[in-house]
Amino acid sequence: MESPAAPPVPRPAAPARPDIPITTTAPVKRERRWSVAALCIVLAVLAGLGAAAAVTSASDRTRVLAVARDVPAGQALTDADLTVAEVSADAALTPVPAADKASIVGKRPSVDLRQGGLLTTSQLAAGSGLGDDKQQVGVQVKRGQAPAGTLAPGDKVLAVTTPAQGEQQTGKDAEAPPSTLNAVVVTVSRPDASGNVVVNLAVADTDGPLLATRAALGRIAIVREPRSS
């Protein structure tokens, strides 16, 4: 007799799978594209504004005269003393236009001009502005016969006559004050290799020939008067 068949064993149920939402990436891609496009538009606008500002700034610049090297007061300006610079238009500045360069050459500044500065009309005067109504004499002064580095255009000085080489004074002559001439400094040159300078002095009409004679003999020393006087 056959034994009854074993009932089938039920298979265990598979674990339930969580529901995964169905999404698409299309909206994300579209949003990124719009962000990139917006950024490109903003950058293009900024670049355009920068270019416009640069063009406007360039159009507001003007060509003016600047000082190419130091020029002492009273020295005639040469072509090499001047250069052309471009500056922004400013109502507070009154530099000489570059187009006027030809008419400026030969004029004499009434103040010292420094390299790199802009040339203005207020710095120029008819003639040197110093001693134009007086005689002028160039005096070469040796080192030690003038204040070192302190003479400036406009200074009042005494041109003192020094004893001749080998001259010895005795008695009353030795005690007598030296002969002097009143003068005004017009220009002072740079010292040469020996430390000598040339000082242009403005003196009264009656004193020019006498000062020139003494200067030619090397018998002039310069004493600066107090500037407060």
Side-chain angles (χ1 to χ4, degrees):
M1 183 174 180
E2 296 181 0
S3 58
V9 179
R11 298 178 64 183
R17 295 181 180 180
D19 294 335
I20 300 176
I22 300 175
T23 59
T24 60
T25 58
V28 177
K29 291 182 178 180
R30 187 178 297 110
E31 183 179 350
R32 289 179 179 175
R33 291 187 185 129
W34 278 110
S35 299
V36 173
L39 179 60
C40 291
I41 293 174
V42 172
L43 292 178
V45 172
L46 293 177
L49 292 176
V55 172
T56 302
S57 176
S59 62
D60 289 342
R61 299 179 72 82
T62 181
R63 291 164 58 84
V64 299
L65 291 180
V67 183
R69 58 188 180 185
D70 292 349
V71 180
Q75 179 174 300
L77 291 171
T78 66
D79 185 78
D81 294 330
L82 304 173
T83 187
V84 176
E86 289 190 357
V87 297
S88 299
D90 190 339
L93 298 177
T94 58
V96 179
D100 297 343
K101 183 176 182 180
S103 62
I104 296 300
V105 172
K107 290 190 175 182
R108 301 174 184 271
S110 56
V111 297
D112 290 341
L113 302 181
R114 299 303 179 191
Q115 181 179 1
L118 299 180
L119 183 67
T120 64
T121 53
S122 61
Q123 295 171 322
L124 303 174
S128 68
L130 295 172
D132 286 337
D133 57 344
K134 297 181 179 181
Q135 292 183 345
Q136 293 190 25
V137 179
V139 179
Q140 185 177 39
V141 183
K142 297 179 181 180
R143 179 184 297 176
Q145 292 184 328
T150 64
L151 288 181
D155 282 342
K156 295 179 180 179
V157 298
L158 293 177
V160 182
T161 303
T162 59
Q165 186 175 4
E167 180 181 356
Q168 294 182 351
Q169 295 180 334
T170 59
K172 293 182 178 180
D173 291 339
E175 299 177 358
S179 175
T180 62
L181 297 174
N182 293 316
V184 176
V185 176
V186 179
T187 60
V188 182
S189 71
R190 293 185 177 88
D192 60 17
S194 301
N196 301 334
V197 297
V198 175
V199 183
N200 288 333
L201 298 177
V203 296
D205 294 346
T206 55
D207 294 337
L210 178 59
L211 178 59
T213 300
R214 293 175 178 175
L217 298 174
R219 297 182 57 192
I220 293 295
I222 294 179
V223 176
R224 195 194 74 190
E225 297 276 26
R227 286 176 177 163
S228 59
S229 62

